[in-house]
């Protein structure tokens, strides 16, 4: 309701629309410039002038005074009304009927249609802009003059008075259009860089999407290979189980048949003994001595002393040893078949490489076990003779090098608070104690470092890794031709820590750096 009442106050009484370029008469009433000009033109023909609202008469054509405050109020009101139609700006000099303006002159503070613009001054001082009624915003707040220059020192738009006698006196200033073009040129340069970065970011997005698609397909293929492998494994194990179960069933049937035959034999013997007992009982029941002795002498009495009958010792047993032998040989063959099955399905055969420490490379403060698999830091020097392979820093390499193929080994780090393990090239510097020789701190070595946090390190660039529990055993997998070096947390389940991708150009060795109170062991 209040908005509607305010709008009524801001409507011109002639055109009944919001004021456009409002002007005031001496009586205080306001009108659109084009509206009152049209009325005064008509009154001039009649020979007298008066206010259309209060009828106040003027002996001469009244001067029109711009009402800037009212114009600002109208503009603010319009900006708060989303459904308000855009205010149209008309040519100042088209008095008979409103004609839309195409340009506004800041010098003249007037707007022009196409026709009047053609007759307007072409002088550089007469700056033309898009049609506007907001000329007040283009004036200096101090001197009330048009802003025509730009001061690069203070990054401010100024008027002539600001430059000649104001705060910007003596400054190197530029015309607004020149300064604007210079700033635009800088912005174009920035925009060019941003577009280049956007293009690069777009390529990265596409690369990431391609990577996701590629590895989505790769994971699906990997799942199929794993499924096929385990199907084959189950078939092989089922076949072995069927063979062993068949042998057990065969032996069971053999034992049961033998036992059944022996039981039948013993039961026949029991029947015979029963008959003999009955016969003897009948003899013993004869009371006449003569008849008894005659029957005894003429009878065939069997006391059972010569009978041979079956016993449990004659029954065969299930041969568990034979079953174990079949199982052992079958599982041995299965292990060999399993390797072939993995290779057939392109799975890496991660058989442990036989890694031993090379004592000739060990720093003199590193103690090496007799089996060449364990190393620890010692404050006491081991007094080994110096040689070209021996490190000056606390490091030791393996005796075995890798220049092709796939290799895997595991290192027990459970007794080391801080440790550094990885691989190093054959040409790694040995005779300095710094970045040139520490594994992971140069371009010839790669390492996982545990020192407060866990890091992957190469060429002195550290990348922090995430491990939610202390590492006990670290697995290292090297695929020389594929240019891959991977580290794993060996636990249940196994977790991937980091993979380096590099172009290996020389033989590589397993490498170890020993901190104070550090003990590591290569696992068999």
């Amino acid at each position: 309701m209040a908005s509607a009442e305010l709008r009524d106050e801001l409507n011109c009484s002639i055109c009944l629309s919001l004021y456009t370029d409002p002007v005031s008469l001496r009586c205080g009433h306001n009108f659109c410039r084009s509206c009152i000009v049209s009325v005064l033109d008509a009154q001039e023909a009649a020979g007298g002038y008066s206010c259309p609202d209060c009828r106040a008469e003027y002996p001469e054509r009244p001067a029109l005074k711009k009402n800037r405050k009212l114009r600002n109020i109208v503009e603010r009101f319009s900006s708060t009304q989303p459904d308000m139609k855009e205010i149209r700006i008309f040519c100042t000099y088209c008095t008979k009927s409103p004609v839309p303006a195409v340009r506004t002159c800041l010098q003249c503070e007037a707007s022009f249609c196409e026709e009047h613009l053609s007759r307007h001054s072409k002088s550089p001082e007469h700056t033309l802009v898009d049609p506007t009624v907001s000329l007040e915003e283009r004036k200096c707040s101090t001197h009330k003059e048009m802003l025509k220059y730009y001061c690069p020192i203070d990054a401010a738009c100024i008027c002539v008075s600001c430059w000649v006698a104001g705060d910007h006196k003596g400054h190197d200033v530029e015309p607004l259009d020149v300064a604007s073009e210079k700033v635009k040129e800088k912005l174009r340069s920035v925009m060019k860089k941003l577009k280049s970065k956007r293009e690069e970011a777009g390529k990265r997005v596409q690369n990431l999407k391609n990577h996701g698609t590629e590895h989505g397909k790769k994971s699906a293929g990997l799942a199929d290979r794993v499924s096929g492998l385990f199907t084959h494994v189950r078939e092989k194990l089922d076949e072995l189980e069927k063979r062993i179960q068949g042998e057990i069933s065969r032996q069971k049937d053999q034992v049961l048949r033998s036992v059944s035959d022996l039981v039948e034999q013993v039961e026949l013997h029991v029947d015979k003994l029963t008959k003999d007992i009955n016969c003897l009982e009948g003899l013993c029941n004869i009371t006449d001595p003569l008849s008894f002795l005659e029957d005894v002498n003429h009878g065939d009495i069997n006391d059972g002393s010569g009978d041979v009958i079956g016993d449990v010792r004659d029954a065969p047993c299930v041969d568990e040893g034979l079953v174990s032998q079949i199982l052992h040989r079958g599982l041995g063959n299965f292990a060999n078949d399993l390797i072939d099955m993995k290779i057939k399905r392109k799975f890496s055969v991660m058989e442990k490489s036989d890694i031993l420490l090379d004592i000739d490379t060990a720093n003199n403060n590193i103690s090496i076990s007799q089996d060449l698999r364990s190393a620890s830091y010692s404050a006491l020097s081991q007094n080994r003779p110096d040689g070209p392979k021996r490190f000056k820093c606390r490091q030791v390499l393996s005796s075995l090098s890798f220049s092709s193929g796939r290799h895997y080994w595991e290192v027990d780090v459970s007794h080391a608070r801080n440790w550094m393990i990885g691989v190093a090239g054959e040409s790694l510097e040995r005779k300095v104690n710094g970045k040139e020789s520490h594994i992971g701190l140069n371009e010839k070595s790669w390492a996982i470092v545990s020192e407060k946090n866990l890091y992957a390190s190469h060429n002195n660039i550290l990348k922090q890794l995430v491990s939610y529990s202390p590492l006990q055993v670290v697995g290292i997998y090297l695929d020389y031709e594929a240019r891959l070096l991977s580290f794993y947390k060996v636990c249940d389940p196994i977790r991937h820590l980091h993979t380096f991708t590099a172009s290996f150009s020389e033989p590589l060795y397993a490498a170890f750096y020993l901190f104070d109170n550090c003990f590591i062991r290569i696992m068999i």
Side-chain angles (χ1 to χ4, degrees):
M1 184 70 179
S3 177
E5 292 175 353
L6 177 59
R7 173 160 186 165
D8 289 340
E9 293 296 326
L10 299 178
N11 284 340
C12 172
S13 60
I14 297 176
C15 67
L16 303 179
S17 298
L18 286 176
Y19 289 114
T20 301
D21 194 11
V23 293
S24 302
L25 297 178
R26 286 198 303 271
C27 62
H29 290 106
N30 302 297
F31 306 95
C32 298
R33 176 183 288 276
S34 60
C35 293
I36 191 62
V37 166
S38 297
V39 170
L40 293 177
D41 287 344
Q43 290 177 347
E44 183 179 7
Y49 302 96
S50 63
C51 172
D53 280 356
C54 66
R55 303 301 177 183
E57 296 183 355
Y58 301 99
E60 297 179 355
R61 184 171 179 131
L64 302 178
K65 184 180 180 180
K66 290 186 176 182
N67 193 333
R68 294 186 176 89
K69 183 175 290 187
L70 179 58
R71 182 200 63 195
N72 293 337
I73 293 173
V74 171
E75 288 182 357
R76 289 193 183 97
F77 176 78
S78 298
S79 66
T80 61
Q81 305 299 311
D83 58 342
M84 186 70 68
K85 291 184 179 179
E86 183 181 355
I87 297 177
R88 298 187 67 188
I89 300 172
F90 299 99
C91 176
T92 306
Y93 299 98
C94 291
T95 57
K96 294 183 178 180
S97 62
V99 177
V102 294
R103 301 292 278 173
T104 296
C105 176
L106 301 181
Q107 181 73 16
C108 302
E109 298 188 33
S111 299
F112 301 89
C113 64
E114 290 284 2
E115 181 181 351
H116 287 99
L117 181 63
S118 64
R119 290 175 280 176
H120 179 256
S121 173
K122 301 298 189 292
S123 173
E125 289 81 7
H126 290 260
T127 305
L128 296 174
V129 297
D130 290 333
T132 180
V133 295
S134 304
L135 296 178
E136 194 67 25
E137 297 175 1
R138 293 179 170 271
K139 290 185 178 182
C140 174
S141 59
T142 303
H143 303 102
K144 304 303 179 183
E145 296 179 16
M146 283 294 173
L147 302 173
K148 294 185 177 181
Y149 299 96
Y150 180 76
C151 177
I153 297 175
D154 298 321
C157 296
I158 62 175
C159 67
V160 173
S161 297
C162 289
W163 178 31
V164 174
D167 295 338
H168 302 271
K169 182 178 180 180
H171 291 185
D172 291 331
V173 300
E174 300 171 334
L176 289 179
D177 56 345
V178 174
S180 174
E181 193 56 39
K182 287 184 178 180
V183 174
K184 285 182 180 179
E185 191 62 33
K186 291 181 181 178
L187 293 180
R188 290 187 189 101
S189 177
V190 172
M191 188 166 55
K192 185 177 180 181
K193 292 180 181 179
L194 293 178
K195 285 182 177 179
S196 176
K197 289 185 177 180
R198 182 180 65 181
E199 184 178 353
E200 182 182 349
K203 289 179 180 178
R204 290 183 180 179
V205 168
Q206 190 58 49
N207 289 339
L208 288 171
K209 289 182 178 179
N210 292 341
H211 181 81
T213 301
E214 176 187 349
H215 283 269
K217 293 179 180 178
K218 184 175 181 180
S219 63
L222 184 60
D224 289 342
R225 284 159 52 203
V226 169
S227 178
L229 175 63
F230 276 90
T231 297
H232 200 176
V233 166
R234 282 189 287 269
E235 289 174 354
K236 288 287 185 180
L237 290 176
D238 289 344
E239 182 182 331
L240 177 59
E241 180 188 12
K242 185 177 180 180
R243 189 163 68 250
I244 295 172
Q245 294 288 11
E247 175 61 23
I248 294 173
S249 179
R250 185 191 67 79
Q251 292 191 30
K252 180 192 73 172
D253 292 343
Q254 182 181 10
V255 169
L256 293 179
R257 282 197 301 271
S258 179
V259 168
S260 178
D261 291 342
L262 289 172
V263 167
E264 185 178 356
Q265 293 177 20
V266 173
E267 287 178 342
L268 291 174
H269 182 66
V270 168
D271 292 341
K272 183 175 181 302
L273 290 176
T274 299
K275 291 180 180 180
D276 290 342
I277 291 171
N278 291 334
C279 179
L280 293 177
E281 286 179 347
L283 290 174
C284 290
N285 289 330
I286 297 174
T287 57
D288 179 19
L290 178 62
S291 298
F292 169 74
L293 292 174
E294 286 180 348
D295 287 346
V296 169
N297 290 333
H298 292 95
D300 184 13
I301 298 175
N302 179 19
D303 60 4
S305 59
D307 295 340
V308 179
I309 61 174
D311 189 81
V312 69
R313 290 169 295 181
D314 299 324
C317 300
V318 172
D319 190 349
E320 188 174 345
L322 177 59
V323 172
S324 297
Q325 181 67 14
I326 296 173
L327 177 62
H328 176 75
R329 291 178 64 85
L331 290 177
N333 293 333
F334 171 76
N336 293 330
D337 291 342
L338 183 58
I339 294 176
D340 293 337
M341 284 188 282
K342 289 193 291 184
I343 293 175
K344 182 179 179 180
R345 286 174 173 78
K346 299 180 181 180
F347 285 105
S348 300
V349 181
M350 299 179 73
E351 300 292 337
K352 287 184 182 178
S353 301
D354 189 17
I355 303 293
L356 298 176
L357 298 174
D358 185 357
I359 199 167
D360 291 337
T361 67
N363 173 269
N364 262 322
N365 287 103
I366 295 179
S367 177
I368 306 296
S369 63
Q370 289 187 352
D371 64 359
L372 303 178
R373 294 187 183 277
S374 299
S376 60
Y377 174 76
S378 173
L380 299 176
S381 174
Q382 304 300 303
N383 295 320
R384 304 185 188 101
D386 194 14
K389 296 168 60 178
R390 195 170 307 285
F391 279 100
K392 191 172 182 179
C393 65
R394 303 176 180 183
Q395 289 186 166
V396 60
L397 301 182
S398 64
S399 56
L400 180 65
S401 67
F402 316 109
S403 56
S404 64
R406 298 167 177 167
H407 308 275
Y408 178 76
W409 63 98
E410 295 177 353
V411 182
D412 183 350
V413 294
S414 60
H415 298 289
R417 184 174 60 183
N418 298 325
W419 46 265
M420 191 184 305
I421 59 177
V423 301
E426 190 172 46
S427 62
L428 182 65
E429 180 62 50
R430 314 289 177 100
K431 299 306 179 182
V432 295
N433 190 3
K435 294 180 180 178
E436 297 89 340
S437 59
H438 289 189
I439 58 174
L441 301 187
N442 49 72
E443 61 180 8
K444 297 180 180 180
S445 59
W446 300 259
I448 294 292
V449 183
S450 176
E451 192 174 10
K452 293 183 179 179
N453 293 305
L454 191 65
Y455 304 93
S457 179
H458 171 62
N459 206 16
N460 204 26
I461 299 175
L462 297 177
K463 178 182 179 182
Q464 188 168 346
L465 306 179
V466 176
S467 179
Y468 296 103
S469 59
L471 272 69
Q472 303 292 319
V473 179
V474 178
I476 302 99
Y477 176 67
L478 171 66
D479 190 333
Y480 197 96
E481 282 79 13
R483 304 180 299 172
L484 298 176
L485 175 65
S486 298
F487 293 82
Y488 300 90
K489 178 180 180 181
V490 180
C491 57
D492 190 13
I494 295 175
R495 296 297 184 194
H496 173 259
L497 295 174
H498 186 73
T499 293
F500 292 102
T501 302
S503 297
F504 306 125
S505 58
E506 61 179 330
L508 301 176
Y509 294 82
F512 309 86
Y513 183 97
L514 282 297
F515 291 88
D516 292 347
N517 302 317
C518 179
F519 173 87
I520 58 96
R521 179 167 181 79
I522 301 168
M523 301 184 68
I524 300 175

